[in-house]
Amino acid sequence: MKWWVSMPKIELHAHLNGSIRDSTLLELARALGEKGVIVFSDVEHVIMKNDRSLGEVFKLFDLIHILTTDHKTVTRITKEVVEDFASENVVYIELRTTPKKNDSIGMSKHSYMEAVVEGLRAVTAVDIDFGPHKFNTQDSLNSIAMNDACDGTKRKKIYVRLLLSIDRRETTEAAIETVKLALEMRDLGVVGIDLSGNPVVGEWKTFLPALKFAQEQGLYITLHCGEVPNRQEVQPMLDFLPQRIGHAIFFEEEEWRQLKTSKIPVEICLTSNIKTESISSIDIHHFVDLYSAKHPLVLCTDDAGVFSTSLSNEYKLASTAFGLGKREMFELARNGIECIFAGDEVKQDLVETFDSAAKKLN
Ligand code: 5GP
């Protein structure tokens, strides 16, 4: 097995509905096609298309949401996504999703999230700890040893924590509703709030009251920041001092300085940035500058399904593109522990997992 697959990894920027297997999406589309809800031949090529601009990605999400937004499907995709990440030795994931309301099928934001948690409960292929459901010590020790073996056949274990996303199309009230839901679901593994959705839609001031409320209540916050040029937003977002930001592409000189001084960790999504043409070529990706400055960074997938990637693939890509060896990539992955939104006990367990994997790194 290649080292980028076998080494333990931490995923901190993965959107649930962006991480669905193509095969599942096609199966769901075919079923809705048979019911006459959609025309399958119209959507097949949209699902299979590989390179999409950022605008096309958001059109695809509208289609994906038609296919997936019922309780049973939400549960299914959550289970599959977690098992897929675990299968490539992701040992800790923060999975983010936008709680959705769909009155026509009796779905509230709350019941959507219950369906997600049901998906976590349904995970059977690996050992899972998602807050209320914890590894017990004996299992934990056994699982660590098995994880280190990394031969793809033994039982793996994964920590899962949830982030609730506020979609930039939402109103202040809807965003506050999401934060309240996150607070209610804290003991079900919800640890924080994400701001995402089409970056050319909505204004920072609409979401600020909800984000401030979340911050006051002690939820962790990560913001999609600088995905498109927007001088009105980047600086206020950095001033807000979120615990992490995603992407950080379109920054001015002064904003890079502020980011580096603040040491806010950045979730880097290489394939996503290249495929959406937010960055024209990987050689000029800001990863290089931030990595050289020893700024806290985590490699992430963003939307493993939509961009046909995996976290292992992101590590391989960074290694090849930036000339980093196996040990440097291992250190990069391990440094991600400091950026997670979980407590010291989980961090300590992850340190042990990485330490024991390090012994086998040759
Ligand atoms: P969901 O929240 O439905 O589980 O995952 C899909 C949603 O995540 C999209 O509708 C969008 O709001 C958000 N999302 C996924 N990928 C991106 C991205 O690259 N940029 C931004 N800003 N939002 C994204």
Side-chain angles (χ1 to χ4, degrees):
M1 188 185 283
K2 301 290 189 193
W3 61 262
W4 48 83
V5 181
S6 63
M7 93 182 188
K9 291 172 286 294
I10 288 178
E11 170 63 84
L12 300 183
H13 189 134
H15 298 269
L16 174 62
N17 276 284
S19 308
I20 306 171
R21 301 172 185 161
D22 280 348
S23 58
T24 298
L25 272 186
L26 286 172
E27 184 190 320
L28 295 170
R30 223 172 261 123
L32 282 195
E34 278 161 19
K35 285 188 193 153
V37 180
I38 56 167
V39 178
F40 178 69
S41 56
D42 287 353
V43 302
E44 187 182 12
H45 69 282
V46 183
I47 293 172
M48 296 315 290
K49 188 174 173 208
N50 207 345
D51 291 334
R52 300 178 182 89
S53 67
L54 199 55
E56 285 172 330
V57 164
F58 288 100
K59 284 201 191 112
L60 176 62
F61 278 123
D62 287 341
L63 168 64
I64 291 177
H65 291 146
I66 293 171
L67 300 178
T68 61
T69 308
D70 71 78
H71 296 110
K72 214 169 101 229
T73 308
V74 170
T75 296
R76 171 187 173 173
I77 61 175
T78 305
K79 172 182 167 15
E80 288 181 356
V81 166
V82 169
E83 290 183 349
D84 286 351
F85 275 107
S87 76
E88 54 156 344
N89 294 304
V90 172
V91 291
Y92 177 97
I93 180 170
E94 281 167 22
L95 197 55
R96 55 185 78 188
T97 193
T98 321
K100 294 171 189 71
K101 197 165 142 26
N102 184 351
D103 291 336
S104 66
I105 56 159
M107 176 181 277
S108 62
K109 285 189 174 188
H110 193 278
S111 71
Y112 174 91
M113 284 311 302
E114 278 177 343
V116 170
V117 172
E118 208 40 52
L120 300 181
R121 288 204 181 94
V123 168
T124 47
V126 295
D127 288 340
I128 178 170
D129 173 319
F130 61 93
H133 182 294
K134 296 197 185 301
F135 309 121
N136 68 40
T137 318
Q138 195 51 46
D139 279 356
S140 183
L141 291 174
N142 287 341
S143 297
I144 288 170
M146 289 173 187
N147 238 347
D148 290 346
C150 288
D151 63 2
T153 57
K154 305 252 170 69
R155 201 161 168 80
K156 299 171 190 298
K157 79 167 193 176
I158 186 166
Y159 284 100
V160 181
R161 296 295 182 268
L162 298 171
L163 305 178
L164 302 200
S165 300
I166 295 171
D167 187 318
R168 295 183 62 107
R169 289 178 291 196
E170 290 183 300
T171 60
T172 304
E173 293 68 34
I176 290 174
E177 193 193 337
T178 295
V179 174
K180 287 186 178 157
L181 179 58
L183 292 169
E184 260 174 59
M185 299 191 80
R186 267 179 151 167
D187 59 355
L188 291 171
V190 175
V191 291
I193 295 288
D194 155 57
L195 175 66
S196 55
N198 194 336
V200 300
V201 173
E203 287 181 277
W204 170 243
K205 67 171 194 272
T206 307
F207 317 111
L208 189 56
L211 293 166
K212 267 193 184 148
F213 174 51
Q215 200 174 46
E216 284 158 12
Q217 295 296 316
L219 287 166
Y220 291 97
I221 292 169
T222 177
L223 306 172
H224 283 61
C225 179
E227 245 182 320
V228 291
N230 186 339
R231 295 239 60 196
Q232 273 88 55
E233 273 199 355
V234 172
Q235 206 198 324
M237 282 185 171
L238 294 176
D239 289 343
F240 181 77
L241 291 178
Q243 276 74 28
R244 294 197 307 258
I245 58 170
H247 298 295
I249 302 167
F250 294 94
F251 276 33
E252 302 286 330
E253 215 40 57
E254 178 47 36
E255 293 157 352
W256 285 122
R257 248 195 308 274
Q258 188 176 348
L259 174 68
K260 285 179 188 166
T261 309
S262 69
K263 299 251 180 287
I264 298 170
V266 181
E267 302 150 1
I268 296 273
C269 309
L270 297 172
T271 298
S272 160
N273 297 161
I274 299 299
K275 287 206 172 171
T276 57
E277 293 173 358
S278 305
I279 292 185
S280 57
S281 151
I282 194 143
D283 328 325
I284 57 159
H285 198 285
H286 49 289
F287 173 95
V288 177
D289 178 45
L290 292 175
Y291 183 83
S292 313
K294 296 196 176 354
H295 191 85
L297 293 179
V298 204
L299 285 183
C300 304
T301 52
D302 201 3
D303 299 295
V306 167
F307 298 123
S308 307
T309 189
S310 63
L311 195 54
S312 307
N313 187 51
E314 297 303 297
Y315 274 78
K316 179 181 163 210
L317 178 62
S319 165
T320 315
F322 310 128
L324 298 172
K326 183 164 58 171
R327 281 177 196 282
E328 289 156 309
M329 295 309 295
F330 185 88
E331 276 315 303
L332 181 68
R334 183 211 287 261
N335 291 342
I337 298 173
E338 282 314 308
C339 307
I340 69 173
F341 294 167
D344 289 343
E345 211 178 303
V346 177
K347 285 186 178 170
Q348 188 49 41
D349 192 30
L350 291 173
V351 166
E352 286 167 21
T353 300
F354 274 88
D355 281 352
S356 117
K359 291 187 198 132
K360 300 196 170 78
L361 207 67
N362 46 42

